[in-house]
Amino acid sequence: MGIRVAVAGASGYAGGELLRLVAGHPELDLVAATAHTQAGTPVAAVHPQLAGLELTLGVTEAATLGDADLVFLALPHGQSAALAAQLPGGVKVVDLGADFRLRDAAAWERYYGGAHAGTWTYGLPELPGQRAAIAASGRVANTGCYAAAITLALAPLIAAGVADPADVVVVAASGTSGAGRSAKAHLLGSEVMGDLSPYKVGAHQHVPEIKQATGADSLSMTPVLAPMPRGILATVTARPIGRTPPRDVLAAAYADEPFVHVLPEGAWPHTAATLGSNSCHLQATLDADSGRIVVLSALDNLGKGAAAQAVQCANLMLGLPETAGLSVFGVAP
Amino acid sequence: MGIRVAVAGASGYAGGELLRLVAGHPELDLVAATAHTQAGTPVAAVHPQLAGLELTLGVTEAATLGDADLVFLALPHGQSAALAAQLPGGVKVVDLGADFRLRDAAAWERYYGGAHAGTWTYGLPELPGQRAAIAASGRVANTGCYAAAITLALAPLIAAGVADPADVVVVAASGTSGAGRSAKAHLLGSEVMGDLSPYKVGAHQHVPEIKQATGADSLSMTPVLAPMPRGILATVTARPIGRTPPRDVLAAAYADEPFVHVLPEGAWPHTAATLGSNSCHLQATLDADSGRIVVLSALDNLGKGAAAQAVQCANLMLGLPETAGLSVFGVAP
Amino acid sequence: MGIRVAVAGASGYAGGELLRLVAGHPELDLVAATAHTQAGTPVAAVHPQLAGLELTLGVTEAATLGDADLVFLALPHGQSAALAAQLPGGVKVVDLGADFRLRDAAAWERYYGGAHAGTWTYGLPELPGQRAAIAASGRVANTGCYAAAITLALAPLIAAGVADPADVVVVAASGTSGAGRSAKAHLLGSEVMGDLSPYKVGAHQHVPEIKQATGADSLSMTPVLAPMPRGILATVTARPIGRTPPRDVLAAAYADEPFVHVLPEGAWPHTAATLGSNSCHLQATLDADSGRIVVLSALDNLGKGAAAQAVQCANLMLGLPETAGLSVFGVAP
Amino acid sequence: MGIRVAVAGASGYAGGELLRLVAGHPELDLVAATAHTQAGTPVAAVHPQLAGLELTLGVTEAATLGDADLVFLALPHGQSAALAAQLPGGVKVVDLGADFRLRDAAAWERYYGGAHAGTWTYGLPELPGQRAAIAASGRVANTGCYAAAITLALAPLIAAGVADPADVVVVAASGTSGAGRSAKAHLLGSEVMGDLSPYKVGAHQHVPEIKQATGADSLSMTPVLAPMPRGILATVTARPIGRTPPRDVLAAAYADEPFVHVLPEGAWPHTAATLGSNSCHLQATLDADSGRIVVLSALDNLGKGAAAQAVQCANLMLGLPETAGLSVFGVAP
């Protein structure tokens, strides 16, 4: 008998990836998966890639979920707080939504609207001190997908005093699963294939989270939708302070990390190499003309950017080996 | 200490998938990986998705490989025989090439050219009697990717006397990894994206293998290159004999199989649901206008069509649980 | 002053392609474009590729359209009859829907439901006698996209007595624009990229149209959704009668056609080569193992399969050069 | 009889697009197309999308080309100078390579190597004064594809004193046709589909051209390969000077331009809308957090980024209407 785990919001893309990871995890038992409009439907009818998984989606409510040792919440932003409040205090929770990520209530209200629900332990184990904090927490707020890619690229450089926090410029492209599974005309395959499409230019809601996690003071972030189901590639640039090569700082910061790989010099991260894994690939250099630091960061938005990262946090919270049930390696080509 | 495994031809796509599966297998130790022109290169430089795997490609020769308990050969067609002959007799071998699949030497010579190397146990465990034969064999010839998809769809129907072997018509589309990793202009991304392209129309070299494995007497097979890295979708049609619903025959044949899923009625296989897995999804019906049996079969050409299937065979040969190190579930979306 | 043309149903994919072609046509003036829910919206907001076209979508009703010399109807199946009945008799009409394609009212009712609206001149100029019939007609029913690809491949072979009409087997894959622009979850980019997905297996509504147009007596047709925005590749197989090479029959049938190209021997049609054009590419051979005739046919489902074909018909109806405003050449890569 | 035009380097992607545009141009006659290794091959065998174009590739030499009124050179960088020197002085030339774009010989030698061939009129008609200069020139150096996208986005802002030239940061993603048609393993469809891959990070050879054309003093440019055949999306950011809205400056600069469209507020450029056209779509805003100007620019790298732009220049040089034979509208979806 393994540890009992439930997934709320299991009909979406992050939910489906959570089901895949939990079902294949050597120490976890998937005891419940819930959804809103698709409650009552077999999981494999909603996620055909899970054919063979005999489980029916339940209703997303505390009664269905509270019997688990740990619950993953993969709900739309703003819906986690009410459900989390109803779960027994002894049930551990990892929230994949944005509700509990920010420390600054005003920033929450400005970008998401509504009242700020509170602040949970931030679920990025590779930040200094955060691994222990997650292990000691009953409630963890998983990072956003863009935030994971950008924070892993930038936080060590600002912390080391090597990158200037004053004028960070980021362009980050995401596969379409980052936009969710709701049927919207602009996300149809006919529209997105062969297309690069920027969105929320000038004011993306993840900016306060990224500033909080990286220490950046000013951040221009332009998100782009790319014609692929999964993957984030973030190009992060900042002005250098001093002459320390940025790659050296990153290599030192992640030398012992199982899931963050600073690539050999000359090799650049690309998204396909991370598909299905919990890995983030990094590389950094100085731009010849402008002198700027340029860091490239690639990960799977549903992996290290969402579901796999959440399982990594859960492993820590449950006292399991941090890498249990997770793959370092991507599925490619 | 696990069982010692080596992969020859590790620089190609099937080779890379073998490395991923072996590296993640709970009972196998990856002791050597070899290649031709890329010998001496770190594995992760050739397969960026394997960043973190500390191994350098060796030279493809018996001295490098013979120390293993089991060797996977992922070499170009026609190159397995010479190498296999040099391996010690106690080393088990799974050959992913075509060299040892055919019983009919004349068919080999006609479609592949050169002398026929011999016939090994055919590596499709789901065929009647084949599971035991594989378990008892030291040398196994893995199925071809198209052959796996088509045989699983058709063999039980012909064996049951429900499908007429006389006039089978197949159209099967494959992702581009099926065409290999050699740099060819017609396989450039610019050419294949947005494109469906038939090839080898009228005379595909896999026809004799498929006829041998399915029992078909006459087979028209048209292969098509599809704009995706992985996946095969085979549409297999045959004239019915009698009135037994073809889905019933398939459902009975695969009721206890972990990797072959006859989908619920109304659900049709599609390739993305099998990505990265060892699963094959099947569905069958009778065409309203023509009365023909129509079976749809989907799998990952590098998974159940090559590397994962090879690991399934290796598990049997080594006395391990058949499903060890393999995923039933696909990585989607 | 050119000939006045209007497009009803201009917000969909076929409608957008009609607008592009009419706006670039040397003899036609685009005087009105209408839509249902998007009436009142600038065309370029609905079709960003038409930035620079100063026109606002009107309401789809006879008052808006009846002032034109010719109206294209690109409406959902079943909606053309009511509107067409309200247009003045002198207004020429090309209907891109299925409403008026079938001669057999029973077949209409079986596959589409509702009452059969009638039968108009079938809009495939390359069929024998059809060019003159279209030129003499005021109302023309444009072919369906699958029907265009399959009929051009098969009709001359059956007419010449070279292909047996008794057991035709077709597998045809289409780009996603063939499924329309409505927001449906299974058509999201995340779902369709990397995926081949069969649909309506065993009973596609285009079968009666294709049988009518080709002369086939029995037709098994399996449609597949392919991960690309445009293009149809049809694999059409039939048993041969006699020994006439099928390519010779096709080459003779289309020797003088500007838009149908029987490729040189050894070259096979592929969809990307037809993108944006009104061309159909064909090739045929005899299968080595089964002896079956195999014809491959490629076209752009929005081009020769819909909008460009409709403009070709309109050119004939209006006494213009048949090729005016149409491209023989595809946009590739 | 039209104006006689020849294309050198016709076997590549830009060459193929030139052939398509010239063959469909109402005033130009395509009299010769030449290539290197594929001389002697029918054009349609090299470019299947041009089936129906009866022309055979000749050898790239002055004797084959010099009989034309205007020659397009679509050769690898560094090969244009020798050929151009051999063409009769009265033959007009548009060079799509980089050889004659730079005024600074040192910059040429640093980024391209070898001796600098000279400087021709820069072929971007929308730059102030450049339209007349092109019309008066016999030799024109077409812009690079990235340079076209970035210059149209940025040059008016720097010229107007609205954007600071001191710290421009650009991330620009291109479809794979920008990488050419040579068979390279990293450009295989299996590698590029589903993948975003940065390249030449920190030192791209187009930087000096872009600085020359835009007036930027410092430019960090990170290029990314995107999983689509065509299209460039450039995200261009700079610090603002004063409070003039950047969109106003762009709207004024391009108010009368047929091919450059500043989109309505709230609409953002995306690449698919420009496919096959000579259009560039632009939008600009101020970033809420950083205050930076953010301009998005989309075009077809083979259209406004190469072949169509070259035809626009040729139209000016030949005294034809600037828009002749070119499409404002993209082929979408």
Side-chain angles (χ1 to χ4, degrees):
Chain A
M1 283 300 293
I3 296 163
R4 298 166 59 82
V5 168
V7 176
S11 60
Y13 290 139
E17 186 72 348
L18 279 167
L19 296 182
R20 181 177 77 86
L21 293 171
V22 173
H25 195 292
E27 308 287 346
L28 304 182
D29 277 354
L30 179 64
V31 297
T34 72
H36 184 56
T37 57
Q38 298 193 280
T41 310
V43 162
V46 176
H47 297 294
Q49 76 272 22
L50 302 179
L53 182 64
E54 301 296 336
L55 188 70
T56 294
L57 292 172
V59 177
T60 299
E61 56 189 20
T64 317
L65 299 160
D67 193 34
D69 299 309
L70 185 143
V71 176
F72 293 104
L73 304 181
L75 304 170
H77 295 312
Q79 300 189 6
S80 297
L83 182 60
Q86 298 171 36
L87 293 173
V91 175
K92 296 177 191 292
V93 180
V94 180
D95 182 21
L96 282 79
D99 298 29
F100 297 99
R101 289 179 198 154
L102 296 188
R103 291 192 295 263
D104 179 351
W108 168 270
E109 285 158 18
R110 174 173 166 209
Y111 279 94
Y112 292 95
H116 184 225
T119 309
W120 290 358
T121 303
Y122 192 62
L124 189 55
E126 290 84 2
L127 288 182
Q130 212 62 17
R131 179 166 276 117
I134 294 166
S137 296
R139 307 268 156 138
V140 167
N142 209 49
T143 62
C145 52
Y146 281 124
I150 296 164
T151 302
L152 291 170
L154 184 60
L157 299 176
I158 291 180
V162 164
D164 185 347
D167 186 24
V168 177
V169 178
V170 177
V171 177
S174 172
T176 54
S177 60
R181 202 175 184 177
S182 297
K184 295 174 182 169
H186 75 283
L187 297 175
L188 287 173
S190 300
E191 304 285 328
V192 301
M193 287 186 283
D195 196 33
L196 286 169
S197 173
Y199 64 100
K200 294 186 185 166
V201 181
H204 192 273
Q205 75 271 19
H206 286 187
V207 167
E209 177 188 349
I210 298 167
K211 290 173 70 178
Q212 171 183 297
T214 61
D217 293 326
S218 161
L219 185 78
S220 164
M221 174 176 162
T222 303
V224 174
L225 196 69
M228 54 194 202
R230 295 190 181 206
I232 284 180
L233 182 77
T235 303
V236 180
T237 81
R239 282 193 301 257
I241 302 174
R243 299 187 165 201
T244 309
R247 187 184 176 282
D248 291 357
V249 177
L250 295 175
Y254 300 122
D256 297 327
E257 290 294 343
F259 295 119
V260 182
H261 303 275
V262 180
L263 300 186
E265 291 198 58
W268 289 93
H270 56 112
T271 61
T274 66
L275 190 138
S277 79
N278 191 40
S279 288
C280 175
H281 292 185
L282 297 171
Q283 183 60 285
T285 195
L286 294 174
D287 181 71
D289 190 81
S290 69
R292 273 190 170 252
I293 292 171
V294 182
V295 192
L296 272 292
S297 175
L299 51 70
D300 181 338
N301 59 299
L302 295 179
K304 186 66 178 168
Q309 168 109 290
V311 171
Q312 185 182 357
C313 289
N315 285 341
L316 289 167
M317 297 163 76
L318 295 167
L320 300 173
E322 188 172 339
T323 59
L326 295 170
S327 179
V328 172
F329 304 130
V331 179
Chain B
M1 283 298 294
I3 297 164
R4 298 167 58 83
V5 167
V7 175
S11 61
Y13 291 138
E17 186 73 349
L18 279 167
L19 295 182
R20 181 178 77 86
L21 293 171
V22 173
H25 194 292
E27 309 286 347
L28 304 182
D29 278 354
L30 179 62
V31 296
T34 71
H36 184 55
T37 58
Q38 297 192 281
T41 310
V43 161
V46 175
H47 296 294
Q49 75 274 21
L50 302 180
L53 182 64
E54 302 296 337
L55 189 69
T56 294
L57 292 172
V59 177
T60 300
E61 56 189 22
T64 317
L65 299 160
D67 194 35
D69 299 310
L70 185 143
V71 176
F72 293 104
L73 303 181
L75 304 170
H77 296 311
Q79 299 189 6
S80 297
L83 182 60
Q86 298 171 37
L87 294 173
V91 176
K92 296 177 190 290
V93 181
V94 180
D95 181 21
L96 283 80
D99 298 29
F100 297 98
R101 290 179 196 151
L102 295 189
R103 291 192 295 263
D104 179 351
W108 169 269
E109 285 158 20
R110 174 174 165 209
Y111 279 93
Y112 293 94
H116 184 226
T119 309
W120 289 359
T121 303
Y122 192 62
L124 189 55
E126 291 84 2
L127 287 182
Q130 211 62 16
R131 180 167 275 118
I134 295 165
S137 294
R139 308 267 156 140
V140 167
N142 210 49
T143 63
C145 53
Y146 282 122
I150 296 164
T151 301
L152 291 170
L154 184 60
L157 300 175
I158 290 180
V162 163
D164 185 347
D167 185 25
V168 176
V169 178
V170 177
V171 177
S174 172
T176 53
S177 61
R181 202 174 184 179
S182 298
K184 295 175 183 168
H186 74 284
L187 297 175
L188 287 173
S190 299
E191 305 285 328
V192 300
M193 287 186 283
D195 195 33
L196 286 170
S197 173
Y199 63 101
K200 294 186 186 165
V201 182
H204 192 274
Q205 76 270 18
H206 286 186
V207 167
E209 177 187 348
I210 298 167
K211 290 173 70 178
Q212 172 183 299
T214 60
D217 292 328
S218 161
L219 184 79
S220 164
M221 173 177 165
T222 303
V224 174
L225 196 69
M228 54 193 202
R230 292 191 184 207
I232 284 180
L233 182 76
T235 304
V236 181
T237 80
R239 282 193 301 257
I241 302 174
R243 299 187 166 203
T244 309
R247 188 184 175 283
D248 291 357
V249 176
L250 295 175
Y254 300 121
D256 298 325
E257 290 294 341
F259 294 118
V260 182
H261 303 275
V262 180
L263 301 185
E265 291 198 58
W268 289 93
H270 56 112
T271 60
T274 65
L275 190 137
S277 80
N278 191 41
S279 287
C280 176
H281 292 185
L282 296 171
Q283 183 60 285
T285 194
L286 293 176
D287 181 72
D289 190 81
S290 69
R292 272 191 171 251
I293 293 171
V294 182
V295 191
L296 271 291
S297 175
L299 51 72
D300 181 337
N301 58 299
L302 296 180
K304 184 67 177 167
Q309 168 108 292
V311 171
Q312 185 182 356
C313 288
N315 285 340
L316 289 167
M317 296 162 76
L318 294 166
L320 300 173
E322 189 171 340
T323 60
L326 296 170
S327 179
V328 172
F329 305 130
V331 179
Chain C
M1 284 298 292
I3 297 164
R4 298 167 59 83
V5 167
V7 175
S11 60
Y13 290 138
E17 186 72 348
L18 279 166
L19 295 181
R20 181 178 77 86
L21 294 171
V22 172
H25 195 291
E27 308 287 347
L28 304 183
D29 277 353
L30 179 62
V31 296
T34 72
H36 184 54
T37 59
Q38 297 192 280
T41 310
V43 162
V46 175
H47 296 294
Q49 76 274 21
L50 301 180
L53 182 64
E54 303 296 337
L55 188 70
T56 294
L57 292 173
V59 177
T60 300
E61 56 188 22
T64 318
L65 299 159
D67 193 34
D69 300 310
L70 184 143
V71 176
F72 292 104
L73 303 181
L75 304 171
H77 295 312
Q79 299 189 5
S80 297
L83 182 61
Q86 297 170 36
L87 293 173
V91 176
K92 295 177 191 290
V93 180
V94 179
D95 181 22
L96 282 79
D99 299 28
F100 297 99
R101 289 177 197 153
L102 296 188
R103 291 191 295 262
D104 179 350
W108 168 271
E109 285 158 20
R110 174 173 166 210
Y111 279 94
Y112 293 94
H116 184 227
T119 309
W120 290 358
T121 303
Y122 192 62
L124 189 55
E126 291 84 2
L127 287 181
Q130 212 62 15
R131 179 166 275 119
I134 294 166
S137 295
R139 309 265 156 141
V140 167
N142 210 49
T143 62
C145 53
Y146 281 123
I150 297 165
T151 302
L152 290 170
L154 185 60
L157 299 175
I158 290 180
V162 164
D164 185 347
D167 185 25
V168 176
V169 178
V170 177
V171 176
S174 172
T176 53
S177 61
R181 202 175 185 178
S182 298
K184 294 175 184 169
H186 76 283
L187 296 175
L188 287 172
S190 299
E191 305 285 329
V192 300
M193 287 186 283
D195 196 32
L196 287 170
S197 173
Y199 63 102
K200 295 186 187 167
V201 181
H204 192 274
Q205 76 271 18
H206 287 185
V207 167
E209 177 188 348
I210 298 167
K211 291 172 70 178
Q212 172 183 298
T214 61
D217 292 328
S218 161
L219 185 78
S220 164
M221 173 176 163
T222 303
V224 174
L225 196 68
M228 54 193 202
R230 294 191 181 204
I232 284 179
L233 182 75
T235 304
V236 181
T237 80
R239 282 193 301 258
I241 302 173
R243 301 189 164 199
T244 309
R247 188 184 175 283
D248 291 358
V249 176
L250 295 175
Y254 300 122
D256 297 327
E257 289 294 341
F259 295 117
V260 182
H261 304 275
V262 179
L263 301 185
E265 291 198 58
W268 290 93
H270 56 112
T271 60
T274 65
L275 190 137
S277 80
N278 191 41
S279 287
C280 176
H281 293 185
L282 296 171
Q283 183 59 284
T285 194
L286 293 175
D287 181 72
D289 190 81
S290 69
R292 273 191 170 251
I293 293 171
V294 182
V295 192
L296 272 292
S297 174
L299 52 71
D300 181 338
N301 59 300
L302 296 179
K304 184 66 177 168
Q309 168 108 291
V311 171
Q312 185 182 356
C313 289
N315 285 340
L316 289 167
M317 295 162 77
L318 295 167
L320 300 173
E322 188 171 340
T323 61
L326 296 169
S327 178
V328 172
F329 305 130
V331 178
Chain D
M1 283 298 293
I3 297 164
R4 297 166 61 82
V5 167
V7 176
S11 60
Y13 290 140
E17 187 74 347
L18 279 167
L19 295 181
R20 181 178 77 88
L21 293 171
V22 172
H25 194 293
E27 308 287 346
L28 304 182
D29 278 354
L30 179 63
V31 297
T34 72
H36 183 55
T37 57
Q38 297 191 282
T41 311
V43 162
V46 176
H47 296 294
Q49 75 273 23
L50 301 180
L53 182 65
E54 302 296 337
L55 188 69
T56 295
L57 292 172
V59 178
T60 301
E61 56 187 22
T64 318
L65 299 159
D67 192 35
D69 299 309
L70 185 143
V71 176
F72 293 104
L73 304 181
L75 304 170
H77 295 310
Q79 300 190 5
S80 296
L83 183 60
Q86 297 171 36
L87 293 173
V91 176
K92 296 175 192 292
V93 180
V94 180
D95 181 20
L96 282 80
D99 299 29
F100 297 99
R101 289 178 196 153
L102 297 188
R103 290 191 295 263
D104 179 350
W108 168 270
E109 285 159 18
R110 175 172 165 210
Y111 280 93
Y112 293 96
H116 184 225
T119 310
W120 289 357
T121 303
Y122 193 60
L124 189 54
E126 291 84 2
L127 288 181
Q130 213 61 18
R131 179 167 275 118
I134 295 165
S137 295
R139 308 267 156 141
V140 167
N142 210 49
T143 64
C145 52
Y146 281 122
I150 296 165
T151 301
L152 291 170
L154 183 60
L157 299 175
I158 291 181
V162 163
D164 185 346
D167 186 24
V168 176
V169 178
V170 177
V171 176
S174 172
T176 54
S177 61
R181 201 174 185 178
S182 296
K184 295 175 182 168
H186 74 284
L187 297 175
L188 287 174
S190 299
E191 305 284 328
V192 301
M193 287 186 285
D195 196 32
L196 287 170
S197 173
Y199 64 100
K200 294 184 186 168
V201 181
H204 192 273
Q205 75 271 18
H206 287 186
V207 167
E209 177 187 348
I210 298 167
K211 290 173 70 178
Q212 172 183 297
T214 60
D217 292 328
S218 161
L219 184 79
S220 165
M221 174 176 163
T222 303
V224 174
L225 197 68
M228 54 194 202
R230 293 191 182 205
I232 284 180
L233 182 76
T235 303
V236 180
T237 81
R239 283 194 301 259
I241 301 173
R243 299 187 165 202
T244 309
R247 187 184 176 282
D248 291 358
V249 177
L250 295 175
Y254 300 122
D256 298 327
E257 289 295 343
F259 294 117
V260 182
H261 303 275
V262 180
L263 300 186
E265 291 198 57
W268 288 94
H270 56 112
T271 60
T274 65
L275 190 138
S277 80
N278 191 41
S279 288
C280 176
H281 293 186
L282 296 171
Q283 182 61 284
T285 194
L286 294 175
D287 182 70
D289 190 81
S290 69
R292 272 192 172 253
I293 293 171
V294 182
V295 192
L296 271 292
S297 174
L299 51 70
D300 181 337
N301 59 299
L302 296 179
K304 185 66 177 169
Q309 168 108 291
V311 170
Q312 185 182 357
C313 290
N315 286 340
L316 289 167
M317 297 163 77
L318 295 166
L320 300 172
E322 189 171 340
T323 60
L326 295 171
S327 178
V328 172
F329 305 130
V331 179

